[in-house]
């Protein structure tokens, strides 16, 4: 097999101002990292020399500091989609310097395929190995699926990053499948969490590959705070609620696959489910598998897991690679349009559990913007699951910032998941079951069960002054909580 | 075949206070009408006698005056889902008297099957005929699919309304299919608009059928205003936009199936598509087929149509019944969870076109509540299509009420479809293409292309004073337009 080995610097030098670069990966995991470490340096040099240098960056989900963080800090991002969790990126987005489309993670490959992002100049793909097969190459992906099948097909040029940090065996975890373009699509034939419908490799046109960058770079996955008393309470509430639904026959006795978002609350929920004696052994159909899933899998409580990324610590990742006989039978990594597919999520009956930043008294959720304007992270895949799941659960602490912010507000300052997509809200105060209830009954549930006691009188007052209608809102007072926080630093000082 | 013939009055007498009644139908069409004409009378009598009498009503979509209108006027509705277009109903909902859950039409059967609405006491089903098959009965549905397969299965008792207004041949239009309960579901194997995967009849447990009410009641379908200059302009903009996408290769050359909402704007859009020489002959995968579809089908421009209801004039309906050889090959009526299935909509690549009441400068849509509080109709199936369609288009006139209301506002007073689900906005002013654009670029497109010129300076002013951030909003001024309308009767008097 003959291929052109190039340095990361040489690769970075080929990318031109104003081009669009698509990357492998989903979360910091599986992202091609080597070329972008050089590209942000190059961007700085170009700017110092007085040359414009900005590129569009499209990936499966968020990336890490070495991609969007350093590129944002270098003022080198023109356009970005679909998601970010990076502080530097957030700062530059909120300064209005980056054109950012906050998009459902399950829609990105679709939108690429439809041509909504224009021409894709470069696809840079992290692989643990590759081989030639006629005029094609087979690339073996590492710890994530993302949008790789689509971008290697539509990009003009492909660069491979052969990252030897990953085991060449990583291919055994992958099920690579891309739906055909409409109107020639067929059903996605996944009927069980770990069904495999694709191949172990991504196929790449040999003519497109301009070079291979060899590197050995560990993953940049974040670690999360340990579960504390508040998150533990929320986790227990979720577990107890599901057990109650099981007993009432609202959930089938076999239980259903679980999706859980990313972060400390999600870990607490998984811990509580994993440790609850009345919850049957279960499977996970989610976008991101974290350490907690692997731990419960080793204990036998979690049977199977399907995801688009193993966003685990490097220690856990190496443990998976070392025990591939076991994990390749119980873990599948998929492209994000399959992990987040409405079709599959609804068919499997996934129990969706995500966190929100704020929730209003009628059940709308804000997952993305602080006080309406400032981007925090973005929606990620939360809406893919919440809209299509069997049960749609949102968790959040009832207050943050030492009680100065109530996450339960009269009206969300930004709406990402609407009242039509939210079944259950859980805070450390309790559980609001919104199913089959109109707005006024939902408000009752949310205020009395989920809001912090400090804020209940204020929320009841709001409802009283809000006037009539199906979903009473006083448009003059709807943001009184936010106004009190912005002007006085404490939502408890809200006045209507 | 032996069955118990009962009068509508006798049937109505069996329904008790506080029970939940589920009905066939989707829009006023196919709704069981005879029993409810008596039930609203009975409710009035019970109330006059000092007895409480309210029931829950669950259907596929909206119904007509003789069901929810008369029942609302009689103060006899306790709970209602998922949708309504009725004036009396709206009044009583907005008075806070009815617990109404505004729900995605594609989710209703799912939620019934999951048990979210509790026990269903009665299913009343309009049929054009029925026959015994062992211990089961086969019911032949009329002009709509709705949630019938699910409610006849889970309801405690079933009443059949044999409505001889409909042709006994109506069964030839139906494809009755209900997915299994999770975790035993399989793919919905529809790969082309008119694929049939089910049966011509709905199967009913004979033990459940308490009686058959014979009647002959025409449908109550509304007629819409004819297309005028403003709606014609919108229709032409949509058609031209799609032709441009075809030329740019963003739409496949075969074109894609079309979904179009209900009403005069949707008719104008269908007219424009039907008459445009550069639009190939196309198919319709939608929830409601109106007269315009049938007219273009007769001319050959529309090839096939799949729907959950033939909400056509009675004249057109009788024409369909009289030409069943033709129409049974080109029209399929499905249950609403299939017509509105995310799985099928995404697989087929449906072009989604719906109307909204207001749209904000970042692309969020309000489809349901006037000034945040007052219910107009509800979301219907718009979100099912807009989230999952190949292209998500919303149309609306730029102003209403003689220019006193701008449908383009700084912030929607209620959000039903979020910015993440809206690709294109069309008013009589022009087209905003939001694909692949962040909030600030979207605001530019919407203000400059879609807002009425009278309102553009005000919207530009808002953007200027809104402050910084990824999606700038001044929470103190976000509803200044609404406030000006509520206090001064004209949004043009808004001040920030």
């Amino acid at each position: 097999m003959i291929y052109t080995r190039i340095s990361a610097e040489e690769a970075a030098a080929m990318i031109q101002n104003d081009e669009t670069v698509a990357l492998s990966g989903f979360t910091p995991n599986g992202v091609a990292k080597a070329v972008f470490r050089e590209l942000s340096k190059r961007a700085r040099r170009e700017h110092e020399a007085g040359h414009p240098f900005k590129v569009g960056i499209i990936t499966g989900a968020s990336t890490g500091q070495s991609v969007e963080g350093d590129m944002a800090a270098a003022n080198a991002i023109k356009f970005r989609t679909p998601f970010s969790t990076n502080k530097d990126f957030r700062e530059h987005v909120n300064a209005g310097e980056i054109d950012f489309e906050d998009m459902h993670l399950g829609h990105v490959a679709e939108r690429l395929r439809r041509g909504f992002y224009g021409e894709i100049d470069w696809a840079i793909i992290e692989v643990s190995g590759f081989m030639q097969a006629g005029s094609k190459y087979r690339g073996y992906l590492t710890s994530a699926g993302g949008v790789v099948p689509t971008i290697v097909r539509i990009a003009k040029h492909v660069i491979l990053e052969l990252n030897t940090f990953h085991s060449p065996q990583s291919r055994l975890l992958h099920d690579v499948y891309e739906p055909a373009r409409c109107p020639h699509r067929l059903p996605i034939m996944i009927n069980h969490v770990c069904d495999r419908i694709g191949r172990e490799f991504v196929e790449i046109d040999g003519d497109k590959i301009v070079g291979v960058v060899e590197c050995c770079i560990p993953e940049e996955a974040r670690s999360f705070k340990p579960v504390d008393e508040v998150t533990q309470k929320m986790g227990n509430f979720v577990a107890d609620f599901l057990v109650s639904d099981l007993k009432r026959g609202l959930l089938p006795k076999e239980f259903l696959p679980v999706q859980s978002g990313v972060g400390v609350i999600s870990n607490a929920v998984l811990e509580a489910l994993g440790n609850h004696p009345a919850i049957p052994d279960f499977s996970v159909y989610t976008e991101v598998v974290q350490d907690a899933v692997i731990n419960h899998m080793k204990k036998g409580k979690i049977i199977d897991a399907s995801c688009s990324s193993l966003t685990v610590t490097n220690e856990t990742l190496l443990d998976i690679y070392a025990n591939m006989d076991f994990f390749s039978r119980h873990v599948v990594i998929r492209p994000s349009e399959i992990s987040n597919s409405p079709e599959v999520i609804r068919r499997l009956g996934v129990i969706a559990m995500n966190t929100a930043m704020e929730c209003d008294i009628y059940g709308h959720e804000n997952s993305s913007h602080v006080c309406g304007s400032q981007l925090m992270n973005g929606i990620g895949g939360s809406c893919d699951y919440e809209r299509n799941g069997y049960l749609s659960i949102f968790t959040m602490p009832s207050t943050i910032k030492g009680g100065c912010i109530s996450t339960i507000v009269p009206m969300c300052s930004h709406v990402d998941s609407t009242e039509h997509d939210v079944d259950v809200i859980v805070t450390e105060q309790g559980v609001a079951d919104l199913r089959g209830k109109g707005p006024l009954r939902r408000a009752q549930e949310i205020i009395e069960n989920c809001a912090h006691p400090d804020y209940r009188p204020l929320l009841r007052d709001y409802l009283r002054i809000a006037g009539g209608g199906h979903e009473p809102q006083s448009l003059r007072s709807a943001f009184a909580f936010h106004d009190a926080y912005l002007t006085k630093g404490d939502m408890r000082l809200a006045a209507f």
Side-chain angles (χ1 to χ4, degrees), chain A:
Chain A
M1 180 170 55
I2 298 161
Y3 64 91
T4 311
R5 192 182 300 176
I6 56 174
S7 70
E9 207 174 345
E10 287 168 330
M14 293 189 279
I15 296 167
Q16 301 304 312
N17 177 48
D18 212 33
E19 290 189 325
T20 298
V21 187
L23 297 175
S24 63
F26 192 92
T27 75
N29 275 65
V31 172
K33 294 168 272 280
V35 175
F36 264 72
R37 289 185 179 190
E38 296 303 323
L39 196 65
S40 54
K41 287 184 210 161
R42 181 178 161 210
R44 287 184 187 276
R45 286 196 304 272
E46 296 282 355
H47 294 162
E48 279 159 19
H51 304 146
F53 193 88
K54 283 190 176 191
V55 299
I57 304 176
I58 301 176
T59 58
S62 60
T63 67
Q65 182 61 30
S66 63
V67 175
E68 63 198 331
D70 293 348
M71 287 294 282
N75 292 304
I77 305 180
K78 182 190 172 197
F79 173 75
R80 173 90 179 94
T81 199
F83 185 58
S84 174
T85 55
N86 183 274
K87 194 171 156 292
D88 288 324
F89 179 82
R90 183 184 305 145
E91 263 175 32
H92 287 263
V93 162
N94 285 325
E97 295 166 10
I98 298 173
D99 186 27
F100 172 60
E101 188 193 51
D102 183 18
M103 183 44 63
H104 307 295
L105 303 186
H107 286 216
V108 181
E110 296 269 9
R111 295 170 82 78
L112 281 160
R113 200 159 46 235
R114 290 171 190 160
F116 290 3
Y117 300 123
E119 292 193 335
I120 307 300
D121 299 289
W122 298 90
I124 312 182
I125 311 298
E126 184 181 84
V127 294
S128 66
F130 61 96
M131 65 172 288
Q132 198 176 347
S135 66
K136 307 282 187 186
Y137 278 71
R138 296 178 172 187
Y140 301 117
L141 299 180
T142 63
S143 57
V147 291
V148 178
T150 307
I151 58 178
V152 297
R153 196 173 47 70
I154 68 176
K156 293 184 206 162
H157 314 291
V158 175
I159 295 167
L160 298 181
E161 286 193 8
L162 178 63
N163 186 354
T164 54
F165 174 78
H166 292 284
S167 163
Q169 301 259 310
S170 66
R171 70 177 187 280
L172 300 176
L173 298 167
H174 284 271
D175 186 51
V176 179
Y177 176 85
E178 189 193 16
R181 206 183 167 199
C182 295
H184 305 292
R185 273 183 76 151
L186 294 170
I188 300 167
M189 297 299 286
I190 296 171
N191 295 327
H192 304 91
V193 163
C194 273
D195 281 355
R196 285 170 180 258
I197 58 171
R199 302 190 287 193
E200 286 182 356
F201 54 87
V202 59
E203 195 172 71
I204 309 163
D205 191 339
D207 292 343
K208 284 189 180 179
I209 302 178
V210 299
V212 178
V213 175
E214 291 181 5
C215 60
C216 182
I217 308 177
E219 290 296 0
E220 296 174 9
R222 297 170 297 162
S223 61
F224 293 96
K225 283 185 293 186
V227 171
D228 62 14
E229 197 189 339
V230 169
T231 48
Q232 185 65 57
K233 267 191 187 169
M234 287 188 262
N236 291 342
F237 278 133
V238 171
D240 290 343
F241 179 85
L242 294 178
V243 168
S244 158
D245 258 21
L246 268 172
K247 286 185 183 153
R248 293 168 64 197
L250 293 178
L251 281 171
K253 65 180 189 317
E254 307 93 330
F255 208 59
L256 288 170
V258 161
Q259 175 262 341
S260 185
V262 178
V264 60
I265 299 179
S266 303
N267 276 336
V269 169
L270 272 180
E271 279 306 315
L273 294 187
N275 296 327
H276 203 300
I279 303 267
D281 296 348
F282 62 97
S283 294
V284 168
Y285 194 87
T286 193
E287 50 189 12
V288 174
V289 158
Q290 294 182 268
D291 283 42
V293 171
I294 301 300
N295 295 340
H296 283 293
M297 188 173 278
K298 286 162 120 180
K299 293 183 210 156
K301 182 77 179 186
I302 291 181
I303 305 160
D304 288 322
S306 165
C307 63
S308 191
S309 174
L310 288 176
T311 307
V312 294
T313 54
N314 282 318
E315 191 187 344
T316 300
L317 188 58
L318 295 177
D319 180 39
I320 292 170
Y321 288 154
N323 293 283
M324 203 57 109
D325 279 349
F326 175 79
F327 286 108
S328 65
R329 288 201 314 276
H330 295 287
V331 173
V332 179
I333 305 176
R334 306 184 188 280
S336 43
E337 66 174 314
I338 307 299
S339 63
N340 290 37
S341 155
E343 170 175 347
V344 181
I345 292 165
R346 192 176 278 198
R347 184 182 306 142
L348 298 181
V350 175
I351 298 171
M353 303 186 291
N354 291 281
T355 55
M357 279 166 40
E358 66 180 5
C359 161
D360 69 28
I361 55 174
Y362 300 117
H364 304 268
E365 306 290 330
N366 175 7
S367 309
S368 62
H369 287 78
V370 179
C371 289
S373 303
Q374 302 286 321
L375 180 75
M376 176 56 73
N377 294 328
I379 51 170
S382 59
C383 306
D384 294 325
Y385 288 93
E386 296 292 338
R387 168 73 66 86
N388 296 296
Y390 196 92
L391 250 183
S392 159
I393 302 173
F394 274 101
T395 51
M396 71 206 85
S398 68
T399 60
I400 54 171
K401 302 260 181 199
C404 292
I405 291 181
S406 171
T407 59
I408 312 290
V409 293
M411 181 187 261
C412 280
S413 58
H414 181 98
V415 174
D416 294 299
S417 281
T418 71
E419 56 182 346
H420 320 291
D421 293 339
V422 182
D423 293 326
V424 183
I425 292 164
V426 179
T427 68
E428 86 291 349
Q429 297 295 320
V431 177
D433 183 352
L434 312 181
R435 296 174 292 182
K437 295 187 174 81
L440 292 173
R441 290 179 67 208
R442 293 201 297 263
Q444 176 85 6
E445 284 271 322
I446 294 170
I447 296 172
E448 303 308 330
N449 297 354
C450 290
H452 191 280
D454 286 356
Y455 285 97
R456 286 182 199 165
L458 273 171
L459 292 163
R460 292 183 201 121
D461 282 350
Y462 177 78
L463 205 51
R464 236 184 322 268
I465 64 113
H470 175 239
E471 189 160 313
Q473 292 284 13
S474 159
L475 296 185
R476 285 199 172 173
S477 302
F479 297 133
F481 275 42
H482 302 82
D483 198 60
Y485 179 71
L486 290 171
T487 56
K488 299 172 195 160
D490 195 334
M491 285 189 175
R492 284 171 288 211
L493 303 175
F496 306 121

